[in-house]
Amino acid sequence: MHGPLIDSLARQGVTRRTFLKYCATLASMMALPPSAGRAMAEAMAAASGGGQRPSVIWLPFQECTGCTESITRSHSPTIEGMIFDMISLDYQETLMAAAGHQAEEALHNAMKANAGKYLLIIDGSVATGLDGAYSCIAGKTNLDALKEAAPGAAAIIALGSCAAFGGLPNAKPNPTGAVAVTDIIKDKPVVNIPGCPPIPVVITGVLAHFLTFGSLPELDKLGRPKAFYGETIHDRCYRRPFYDQGKFAKTFDDAGARNGWCLFELGCKGPVTYNACATVKWNDGTSWPVESGHGCLGCSEPDFWDGGGFYKALSMPADPLKMATAATVAGAAAGVAVSFANRSKKSTAKAGHETTTLADLEKSEEQ
Ligand code: SF4
Ligand code: SF4
């Protein structure tokens, strides 16, 4: 496999073999057959290879730019590489060089030239109060910009919890009338990639799927890719054996916390939160919130800001015996290592839930 993408990745120190492994891992994360990994690699390489690259228009609405920050720190191969080598990112205010009238011209030219074919990414919620006047770009409300750009899109990616569910701007009392993309757009395929911010590799996976198959991956009832949001944080948490044994940290610095016990009583929302943090991790697979000692806030679920105190335990029962029994029944399917239930060592529990990360791929390539 050759081409500009492979050459560009090589310049970033990513070998062809690592790229192939990356695609295989991506395909496996998305529960696709092994052959899909190569198909994804070929589609990505072909998309960068001279022909017309798929046009992507990215409109930021009511947001904090955290989603862009997250994506531009994605795993290797970098999203920057993907953006500039695989797709034609025709509009993204934070990343593009153009400004003012030039930027607006680029946006309208891309919408016209790629009508019916471009991928539209929205981050941020849509303000609807005062006819959308709370959030405007170039004198146009986000609401109008969405209604103008959506009809020509092949599909829409609602990136981050604000675009997917309204997010922080939608928190009570919601002064701007913030809503999700799907509250406005009803006649286009929309994939929600929630998270505050969302995990970078999830958008890489969705883009790769779209490039390879020309369609969005399978979605759950909230419009999220099942491959990444199919299990709860709790299902895959390495602290789960302690939950099953009823071993809970009572404060953030007690002996239980130091030994890696479950953070449920400190407010962890992992049992009701669907996301891939526990398997994909953050910062090139370095760590994730629960591993760094803080409970999950439930950021990839609707209304997470209004869902009760971050440090208040869920009201669902945490009967250790009941949970251990349930885990025994559901263990195989949920990937819960029940055999760990009687072992109390943090490192043992952690090792039982370790997954191969993309950073690991890089390491193995170096060996
Ligand atoms: S720390 Fe949270 S996600 Fe992990 S086992 Fe405890 S409740 Fe579940
Ligand atoms: S651990 Fe929970 S709050 Fe933290 S990023 Fe993942 S889903 Fe969001």
Side-chain angles (χ1 to χ4, degrees), residues 233-234 237 239-240 243 262-264 268 270-271 290:
I233 295 284
H234 188 64
C237 179
R239 295 182 192 246
R240 176 63 182 269
Y243 177 96
C262 172
L263 303 171
F264 180 89
C268 181
V290 169

Side-chain angles (χ1 to χ4, degrees), residues 232-244 247-248 260-265 267-273 278 288 290-291 294-296 314:
T232 63
I233 295 284
H234 188 64
D235 286 335
R236 304 295 293 161
C237 179
Y238 77 96
R239 295 182 192 246
R240 176 63 182 269
F242 297 109
Y243 177 96
D244 292 339
K247 291 182 173 172
F248 301 106
W261 288 9
C262 172
L263 303 171
F264 180 89
E265 292 188 3
C268 181
K269 305 295 183 290
V272 293
T273 303
W288 64 291
V290 169
E291 187 172 342
H294 196 284
C296 167
L314 288 165

Side-chain angles (χ1 to χ4, degrees), residues 161 194-199 229 233 268-270 273-278 282 288-290 294-301 304:
S161 291
C196 190
I199 298 176
Y229 298 88
I233 295 284
C268 181
K269 305 295 183 290
T273 303
Y274 289 80
N275 206 345
C277 308
W282 287 85
W288 64 291
V290 169
H294 196 284
C296 167
L297 302 179
C299 79
S300 54
E301 296 299 314
F304 86 100

Side-chain angles (χ1 to χ4, degrees), residues 144-168:
D144 285 343
L146 177 60
K147 286 179 180 170
E148 188 183 345
I156 301 175
I157 295 178
L159 184 64
S161 291
C162 295
F165 303 133
L168 171 59

Side-chain angles (χ1 to χ4, degrees), residues 165 190-194 217-232 273-275 300-302:
F165 303 133
V190 179
V191 55
N192 285 330
I193 304 185
E218 193 184 356
L219 308 178
D220 70 5
K221 65 181 188 321
L222 292 177
R224 305 174 293 196
K226 270 189 183 169
F228 297 105
Y229 298 88
E231 291 179 308
T232 63
T273 303
Y274 289 80
N275 206 345
S300 54
E301 296 299 314

